Amino acid sequence: FWCVLARQGELAVGFALCYNTYSTWEGRGLYIEDLFVSECCRQGGVGTLLIEAVVQHAMDTGCRRLQWQALESNTKAIAFYTRDTIRARERVEEDGSK
């Protein structure tokens, strides 16, 4: 596992918890198991900084894929992931599988 912690002073305000995966087609990957930002700090850029740290870690360790999931009902998370600064997209294969 790998974790990055966001702090404001001595107070932990967010984290991203990840683990390595492997694909026979793409090689090494990184899966974000949890991304959390305290409600008091949302809309303040903490989530973006956490994602940027995860992306940098994935690149530094040779990952060819970064993935995570969000429930369809979690519309705030989906809006965060798909905005222009993050640009996540749903992966759909040619055969229609996700």
Side-chain angles (χ1 to χ4, degrees):
F1 287 92
W2 181 81
C3 184
V4 61
L5 181 66
R7 297 185 328 174
Q8 286 185 344
E10 295 297 314
L11 181 65
V13 296
F15 69 90
L17 177 65
C18 309
Y19 59 86
N20 291 106
T21 62
Y22 190 83
S23 164
T24 55
W25 294 289
E26 295 176 316
R28 188 179 175 107
L30 190 66
Y31 184 82
I32 303 173
E33 178 64 32
D34 283 310
L35 177 71
F36 174 79
V37 176
S38 295
E39 201 163 326
C40 66
C41 296
R42 293 178 187 167
Q43 305 293 318
V46 174
T48 299
L49 291 172
L50 287 168
I51 289 287
E52 288 172 352
V54 169
V55 168
Q56 188 62 54
H57 176 74
M59 291 175 15
D60 290 348
T61 57
C63 293
R64 305 212 1 112
R65 171 165 73 183
L66 175 62
Q67 68 185 97
W68 62 92
Q69 298 175 6
L71 295 173
E72 284 187 51
S73 60
N74 192 348
T75 56
K76 287 183 181 181
I78 293 169
F80 170 74
Y81 295 135
T82 57
R83 64 191 181 135
D84 288 340
T85 53
I86 302 211
R87 297 182 308 222
R89 61 176 172 74
E90 184 174 28
R91 182 176 175 159
V92 180
E93 303 296 334
E94 290 178 14
D95 66 359
S97 62
K98 295 182 181 182

